[in-house]
Amino acid sequence: MKLTRRTFLKLSGATAVGIAASKLGLDFSSVEAYAAKLRKDLKAAKEVTSICPYCAVGCGVIVHSIGGKVINIEGDPDHVINEGTLCSKGASLYQISGANPNRLAQPMYRAPYATEWKTVTWEWALREIARRVRVSRDAGFMSKNAKGQVVNRTNGIAHVGSAALDNEECFMLQKLMRSWGLVYIEHQARI
Amino acid sequence: MTNHWIDIRNADVILVMGSNAAENHPVSFKWVGNAINRGATLLSVDPRFTRTSAKAHLYAPIRSGTDIAFLGGMIKYIIENNRYFEEYVRLYTNASFLVNPGFKMPGELDGLFSGYDPKTRKYDKSTWIFEKDAKGLIKKDPTLQDPYCVFQLLKKHYSRYTPEVVSSITGTPKDKLLKVYETYSSTGKPGKAATIMYAMGWTQHTVGTQNIRTMAIIQLLLGNMGIAGGGVNALRGESNVQGSTDHCLLFHILPGYLRTPRASQATLEEYNDKSTPKAKDPMSANWWGNYPKYSVSLLKSFFGQNATKANDFGYAWLPKLDDGQNASWLMIFDEMYKGTFSGFFAWGQNPTCSGANANKVRMALTKVDWVVDVNIFPNETAEFWHGPGMKPESIKTEVFLLPAAASFEKEGSITNSGRWAQWRYKGGMSPGDAWPDSEIMTELYYRVKALYEKEGGVFPDPILNLTWDYGPKGGDGKINYVDPHMVAKEINGYFLKDKTVGGRLYTKGTLVPSFAFLQADGSTSSGNWLYCQSYTGKGNMMARRSRKDPSGIGLYLEWAWAWPVNRRIIYNRASVDKDGQPWDKEHPVIWWDKAAKKWKGDVPDGGWPPLSAGKSSRYAFIMKPEGHAHIFGPGLADGPFPEHYEPYECPIEKNLMNGQKFNPTIKIFSPETTTPLDVVFSCDPRFPIVATTYRMVEHWQTGVMTRWQPWLLEAQPQLWVEMSKELANLKGIKNGEKVSVQSARGQVEAVAMVTDRFKPFDIAGQTIHQVGLPWCFGWVTPPDGGDSANLLTPTIGDANTMIPESKAFMVNVVRKGV
């Protein structure tokens, strides 16, 4: 299928239904039953390699999925650094997958002075954020500093994050923020 | 890390100080254990007997914030007992350089170096310079005997760091100090290696940079830089904090550690000129002399064909900081508290728990109009408006909470602490309507750009001229989805026109093979010169998975890809003698093959022949303009040699080393000068206990990812404060009861964990207690799990980096309700 930007957005929404339903299928009540099912499922699962997202040792993991649903994550025995071993966090990685009901799954909005969140669409959230970026950027824009030197920066917006992103995303993010004129750009490396 | 994880196995002595690797980088201990099995000795220096200490051959306690005293004493020991590797020191460091006779040191100036101005709290560094001859070359004394040579100055400076004085400052028993010194310095000879594993226990101090400098000096004296099993190894705590630093999501640097432009640099020429070091010595490679090639290639990756020679490659479109302006972390929340910003992005980060003086961070958020929070779980930053002490009805801030994909739900690379960029594949779908971060960025890019196209606005040029060619484009000219391979290729860089380099033609569109090919004329692009070679005509180098290791020392040159140019041990030209033969015959990193006239082994720090070749050779430390490693480091704010100063908030009235209590060059935050929340109570009887923060294996950073997982939460469900039996007795506290930990800035409730792992310190005859708390909890979840330990930490930062001093501050601990 040929993807356009619009169909991409739709598609990423459609997958929500399937994942939500599958969440109910897991049985945590019996570790044995779980292990037995996992052993069976793993034979049919798709395997890809990844790298643990916690500390920076860079341990290899194998992610097992069936039909796009992650069913297991474990240490990669071929990885030269960890040779299959993982710490307790790495060994629990499966629990940050879509199987965890606490994962954020919809954009949310908290209005000024509101006492509750409300669920919003991506379309609305992105449109509203873009507008606010423009207003804050322009309102806080400084063409020349006190000395009269050209600085063309905005003092209206600050940004922090993130060491949790991929390299490609870090590059894109700093490029985007700097194109808007931000200079207050920081992240985990400073703290 | 100058070296990498597997290389730890090559060490003879391993010092873990300023980190608790067994707990926080557990798999690193696979390689520590491997070294121990070979006969290596493990030393653990820590305020607390940690999981690392439990594995160590020797544990030495130290009061938080006194590492320079501890290590300064080691420098004295190494020099006075002739434990240094003299030939290495002479060949590769600036020990023989002669310093300006006007330079004075803390022993002469009561804790200050020459040039201090108390009004500006800055140094005039005009005496911190080397003597030069008529040709402009640095004067040297290869015998290391001249009283003004770096070596003699170093010896004089640290002669004051006697075991007695050090022990009275650090609280480390003298016999343990000497045992650590003796064991570690046993590696100051060819064929022996010692490594240091440090982390935030060294950086989160007002003297953080100098803590690491002190260790770097030790490693240089012992000849431990550039060799297998050696190096200075920062154990980075986030999976891609190395990559995010390389790509410079930081106020002061652009990708590849280029400098952010300043207001006085109006043109690209002025910017390049100011940023490019010059070297007079023909044997200095002065690699940063290539700066303009990297800056122009970066601008081409930002603005594509819109960047031309005629318009300075779009240099004018980059925002400029004022000269001397600091826009780092602590300043962001200071300015936010004062109302400077109306908008704030917290992207994959939880500053209301991770930021020092977290109450200030939380209050600062009430002063902005809007916050965009991108994360995979609910977190204390997005939820701040209904947190402890907050009244939602009076908080104006709008919050957009955007759901992101987890690491294994998208494709891309991350860079580990050993500088290895490793590729990750997409392993499954995200829940609900969560998106990869790159798609969120892309939507914001298009939508903000469209507003400026339709409605105009202030200085739209950088927004309209930015390129975003990160996927196949549809009829509307927009990319249909982000292809991370296209981003990775842009980071690597392309030839933008046909170009002949070194006699070979590279056609337009070819990926640049390595940064040696980058150009300053606009004919190449590279989003990050350090990553040039990561994705080439040979394919995605970061995705390689060959387990072959012909080196025999664990380099694995065809597993993934390491910056720079796949070099696994940096400064490796110092691992050989002047003829290019390895100091360590058992673990050679590189060696000069005389017949083939080339280097073998790891990728060398430049292909020039060894030093004995004379003029055609280059000095080993190619990133330094003089080509020699800095024992004397004149570039830092607080002095060319590290000096002990007390933490900003400390338990003793007088610095036992000199008349300056704390680092004289730190920026002071206080209720009088900054905000009412910047309170500090040093040597105050209300807060008599030293405190530090740390992590635990079951939770990660602020716990945003781990506190939502039942398996991990079951193992570690709530905040605790660890203390000695002696302190518990003094305070009438029982193990397991709830206590309140209070500082000048806030308080948290925690379960008292009374252990033998902390012991009171004897500091110059005074009994000083220390406690420690993990900082991985937060009020959102789990219920009754406690809140962030950063509610206690002060707003104060390192003199060079402004990294907050979260590892040494003062508290009180009281039973609940007392």
Side-chain angles (χ1 to χ4, degrees):
Chain A
M1 191 182 79
K2 210 172 165 187
L3 275 179
T4 64
R5 186 122 205 103
R6 186 161 288 277
T7 51
F8 166 80
L9 303 184
K10 272 193 198 160
L11 271 178
S12 63
T15 56
V17 184
I19 296 284
S22 65
K23 274 180 201 163
L24 305 171
L26 284 180
D27 178 16
F28 286 101
S29 64
S30 161
V31 175
E32 253 180 52
Y34 171 62
K37 181 169 175 354
L38 191 59
R39 268 197 297 277
K40 187 163 156 270
D41 287 351
L42 287 180
K43 285 181 190 155
K46 182 183 165 192
E47 282 187 5
V48 304
T49 56
S50 187
I51 303 294
C52 178
Y54 293 117
C55 84
V57 170
C59 297
V61 297
I62 297 173
V63 183
H64 295 98
S65 66
I66 293 179
K69 186 181 134 189
V70 174
I71 59 157
N72 181 56
I73 301 178
E74 62 188 46
D76 176 359
D78 290 332
H79 196 281
V80 294
I81 296 175
N82 62 309
E83 297 176 332
T85 60
L86 292 173
C87 71
S88 48
K89 287 189 299 296
S92 306
L93 259 182
Y94 164 72
Q95 288 211 319
I96 62 170
S97 74
N100 189 324
N102 302 307
R103 276 286 297 275
L104 292 170
Q106 294 293 328
M108 312 273 274
Y109 173 70
R110 185 263 173 174
Y113 311 108
T115 54
E116 286 183 347
W117 288 106
K118 67 176 188 185
T119 303
V120 294
T121 64
W122 275 109
E123 175 60 34
W124 183 86
L126 292 165
R127 188 178 69 223
E128 295 302 314
I129 294 166
R131 282 184 182 158
R132 281 160 185 72
V133 166
R134 178 165 169 273
V135 168
S136 290
R137 174 193 182 268
D138 286 5
F141 204 83
M142 181 185 262
S143 302
K144 289 185 177 176
N145 64 11
K147 282 188 184 167
Q149 296 163 318
V150 175
V151 292
N152 282 328
R153 66 171 187 249
T154 184
N155 300 323
I157 308 173
H159 169 97
V160 300
S162 175
L165 301 176
D166 290 347
N167 281 322
E168 293 71 26
E169 294 170 329
C170 290
F171 178 75
M172 292 166 77
L173 188 54
Q174 61 82 33
K175 180 172 165 178
L176 180 66
M177 292 294 164
R178 290 186 161 120
S179 80
W180 292 345
L182 270 72
V183 291
Y184 286 95
I185 299 172
E186 288 277 290
H187 80 287
Q188 284 92 339
R190 184 79 63 191
I191 58 173
Chain B
M1 291 169 86
T2 58
N3 295 41
H4 61 99
W5 296 108
I6 297 172
D7 181 64
I8 295 168
R9 81 180 198 206
N10 298 317
D12 296 294
V13 180
I14 299 162
L15 172 62
V16 183
M17 184 169 172
S19 84
N20 176 12
E23 174 106 26
N24 298 321
H25 301 84
V27 172
S28 72
F29 259 60
K30 173 185 277 290
W31 301 107
V32 173
N34 193 301
I36 290 172
N37 291 343
R38 278 182 45 247
T41 305
L42 175 63
L43 307 172
S44 164
V45 180
D46 200 290
R48 178 180 59 130
F49 187 88
T50 65
R51 281 181 163 170
T52 301
S53 317
K55 291 279 182 188
H57 299 93
L58 177 68
Y59 164 70
I62 180 175
R63 171 170 63 98
S64 273
T66 62
D67 302 71
I68 290 173
F70 190 106
L71 297 173
M74 174 131 64
I75 294 175
K76 176 185 168 73
Y77 181 93
I78 290 168
I79 293 175
E80 293 180 1
N81 293 288
N82 285 311
R83 307 279 278 185
Y84 55 98
F85 184 172
E86 192 172 344
E87 194 179 354
Y88 181 103
V89 168
R90 194 178 293 131
L91 281 178
Y92 297 130
T93 77
N94 66 11
S96 65
F97 291 17
L98 301 192
V99 176
N100 183 299
F103 172 70
K104 297 283 177 279
M105 299 193 291
E108 301 157 273
L109 299 178
D110 201 22
L112 296 168
F113 294 90
S114 45
Y116 186 68
D117 180 348
K119 280 194 202 116
T120 58
R121 304 180 50 76
K122 285 193 169 86
Y123 280 105
D124 166 359
K125 301 181 189 171
S126 56
T127 59
W128 304 7
I129 53 168
F130 299 118
E131 294 283 276
K132 290 185 178 167
D133 65 15
K135 286 185 193 159
L137 298 179
I138 292 165
K139 290 185 186 172
K140 297 170 189 169
D141 174 21
T143 68
L144 308 181
Q145 296 306 310
D146 189 298
Y148 286 101
C149 81
V150 166
F151 186 79
Q152 290 300 325
L153 292 174
L154 181 79
K155 182 177 177 180
K156 186 174 161 192
H157 177 62
Y158 289 107
S159 65
R160 300 150 57 229
Y161 286 63
T162 62
E164 292 73 24
V165 172
V166 169
S167 176
S168 68
I169 292 172
T170 60
T172 314
K174 200 174 131 187
D175 60 328
K176 292 201 167 160
L177 269 182
L178 292 173
K179 190 73 191 158
V180 171
Y181 295 170
E182 185 196 348
T183 309
Y184 199 84
S185 64
S186 67
T187 61
K189 51 189 165 196
K192 290 286 174 193
T195 192
I196 167 67
M197 299 167 72
Y198 78 90
M200 312 318 287
W202 269 3
T203 60
Q204 291 178 343
H205 291 282
T206 40
V207 292
T209 309
Q210 297 285 19
N211 282 337
I212 297 146
R213 275 271 302 143
T214 324
M215 194 67 217
I217 291 171
I218 290 172
Q219 289 296 67
L220 290 169
L221 288 173
L222 299 175
N224 278 329
M225 295 305 293
I227 65 170
V232 172
N233 294 304
L235 315 186
R236 310 214 63 179
E238 307 236 359
S239 59
N240 196 33
V241 74
Q242 187 60 57
S244 57
T245 308
D246 301 335
H247 293 300
C248 299
L249 280 158
L250 292 161
F251 91 91
H252 68 301
I253 37 178
L254 296 173
Y257 303 90
L258 306 182
R259 302 172 183 201
T260 46
R262 298 284 168 164
S264 64
Q265 300 153 5
T267 65
L268 178 62
E269 191 184 350
E270 287 169 275
Y271 165 76
N272 278 337
D273 192 54
K274 194 90 180 168
S275 311
T276 311
K278 281 95 194 157
K280 287 262 167 75
D281 192 328
M283 282 185 66
S284 172
N286 187 26
W287 198 266
W288 276 118
N290 294 303
Y291 194 98
K293 298 172 185 172
Y294 308 150
S295 60
V296 171
S297 294
L298 174 70
L299 286 165
K300 291 297 288 182
S301 77
F302 264 57
F303 303 115
Q305 57 189 13
N306 301 324
T308 64
K309 198 165 187 337
N311 69 9
D312 247 3
F313 299 107
Y315 172 75
W317 297 329
L318 291 180
K320 313 285 184 298
L321 289 145
D322 290 346
D323 293 57
Q325 183 184 353
N326 189 302
S328 69
W329 182 273
L330 291 175
M331 298 308 295
I332 285 184
F333 293 101
D334 201 60
E335 292 292 337
M336 190 183 292
Y337 188 89
K338 292 172 183 165
T340 302
F341 311 120
S342 54
F344 177 56
F345 284 89
W347 201 307
Q349 189 163 13
N350 188 18
T352 57
C353 286
S354 61
N357 198 355
N359 273 323
K360 181 179 177 180
V361 175
R362 294 174 186 191
M363 288 308 293
L365 290 180
T366 67
K367 319 250 180 165
V368 293
D369 293 338
W370 54 268
V371 171
V372 173
D373 183 299
V374 186
N375 215 307
I376 66 172
F377 284 113
N379 59 80
E380 287 73 15
T381 299
E383 311 269 356
F384 83 94
W385 47 273
H386 63 118
M390 295 284 178
K391 291 195 183 73
E393 315 78 43
S394 61
I395 294 168
K396 66 174 179 178
T397 316
E398 290 179 290
V399 185
F400 298 85
L401 177 55
L402 305 181
S407 60
F408 48 81
E409 297 161 359
K410 60 189 179 187
E411 191 176 1
S413 70
I414 59 168
T415 304
N416 79 359
S417 207
R419 298 166 286 102
W420 295 15
Q422 304 189 90
W423 197 257
R424 304 196 280 208
Y425 297 92
K426 181 173 174 173
M429 300 298 289
S430 300
D433 214 357
W435 287 9
D437 299 84
S438 60
E439 296 292 351
I440 304 172
M441 294 168 206
T442 298
E443 280 296 316
L444 290 175
Y445 162 78
Y446 282 126
R447 284 165 194 264
V448 170
K449 186 181 180 190
L451 287 175
Y452 281 89
E453 278 168 345
K454 278 184 213 134
E455 300 168 23
V458 187
F459 195 58
D461 310 54
I463 295 170
L464 301 181
N465 284 300
L466 198 76
T467 58
W468 204 263
D469 300 323
Y470 300 134
K473 289 184 179 173
D476 57 1
K478 296 179 181 177
I479 62 170
N480 293 333
Y481 56 88
V482 174
D483 176 356
H485 294 268
M486 291 182 72
V487 189
K489 288 177 188 175
E490 178 174 289
I491 291 170
N492 180 82
Y494 294 99
F495 283 98
L496 302 172
K497 51 181 87 159
D498 293 357
K499 181 88 187 173
T500 302
V501 187
R504 194 178 149 189
L505 176 71
Y506 294 87
T507 55
K508 181 181 172 179
T510 307
L511 289 159
V512 179
S514 89
F515 55 63
F517 295 79
L518 293 175
Q519 305 294 323
D521 61 2
S523 60
T524 56
S525 69
S526 177
N528 190 330
W529 71 276
L530 269 184
Y531 281 73
C532 193
Q533 198 196 64
S534 61
Y535 208 124
T536 68
K538 291 178 187 162
N540 183 354
M541 308 297 273
M542 300 174 282
R544 295 183 300 173
R545 284 176 61 87
S546 166
R547 292 170 51 83
K548 281 185 291 190
D549 182 33
S551 77
I553 58 166
L555 295 179
Y556 292 101
L557 288 169
E558 292 175 33
W559 181 279
W561 178 87
W563 70 254
V565 288
N566 206 32
R567 184 172 303 135
R568 304 294 164 129
I569 296 179
I570 56 180
Y571 311 123
N572 57 26
R573 284 176 69 94
S575 70
V576 295
D577 62 20
K578 61 184 189 322
D579 296 321
Q581 298 314 303
W583 301 120
D584 184 350
K585 312 283 184 243
E586 232 179 285
H587 307 101
V589 182
I590 58 167
W591 61 95
W592 181 251
D593 183 330
K594 277 181 200 158
K597 290 195 171 162
K598 61 192 272 194
W599 293 98
K600 297 279 174 67
D602 193 7
V603 178
D605 254 330
W608 309 281
L611 277 179
S612 58
K615 279 181 186 168
S616 60
S617 181
R618 292 292 180 272
Y619 301 133
F621 286 81
I622 63 172
M623 303 310 284
K624 292 289 176 204
E626 321 89 20
H628 290 71
H630 279 189
I631 284 179
F632 184 87
L636 296 185
D638 37 6
F641 294 131
E643 170 76 351
H644 168 72
Y645 303 109
E646 285 292 319
Y648 190 50
E649 216 175 45
C650 74
I652 54 173
E653 287 288 352
K654 188 180 166 351
N655 179 351
L656 299 168
M657 188 58 76
N658 62 59
Q660 306 300 315
K661 189 161 175 188
F662 52 84
N663 189 332
T665 57
I666 50 174
K667 177 187 163 53
I668 300 294
F669 293 81
S670 69
E672 294 75 35
T673 57
T674 46
T675 81
L677 301 188
D678 298 322
V679 197
V680 164
F681 287 144
S682 208
C683 298
D684 187 304
R686 288 171 293 175
F687 303 102
I689 305 165
V690 178
T692 194
T693 62
Y694 39 77
R695 289 177 17 190
M696 59 173 93
V697 66
E698 295 85 359
H699 287 290
W700 190 66
Q701 311 296 53
T702 69
V704 163
M705 286 162 77
T706 50
R707 281 186 275 123
W708 294 103
Q709 300 181 44
W711 295 345
L712 296 170
L713 202 57
E714 187 176 345
Q716 285 284 0
Q718 64 198 138
L719 179 67
W720 37 261
V721 54
E722 194 167 355
M723 67 186 77
S724 67
K725 287 176 175 164
E726 291 84 352
L727 179 62
N729 277 340
L730 195 70
K731 294 276 181 181
I733 292 168
K734 289 193 189 71
N735 186 37
E737 79 176 320
K738 273 260 176 98
V739 295
S740 168
V741 187
Q742 305 161 348
S743 80
R745 296 153 295 276
Q747 73 98 32
V748 289
E749 280 184 14
V751 174
M753 189 198 278
V754 181
T755 73
D756 284 320
R757 295 190 287 255
F758 269 118
K759 288 283 178 198
F761 292 103
D762 174 4
I763 306 298
Q766 194 184 339
T767 300
I768 302 283
H769 295 280
Q770 178 161 355
V771 298
L773 307 87
W775 58 281
C776 56
F777 290 97
W779 63 271
V780 165
T781 202
D784 203 26
D787 208 339
S788 173
N790 274 314
L791 291 164
L792 307 172
T793 54
T795 300
I796 197 73
D798 172 59
N800 293 285
T801 63
M802 290 273 276
I803 289 178
E805 187 162 62
S806 313
K807 289 289 176 273
F809 54 97
M810 300 304 294
V811 300
N812 194 18
V813 182
V814 293
R815 292 169 64 198
K816 242 183 111 178
V818 174

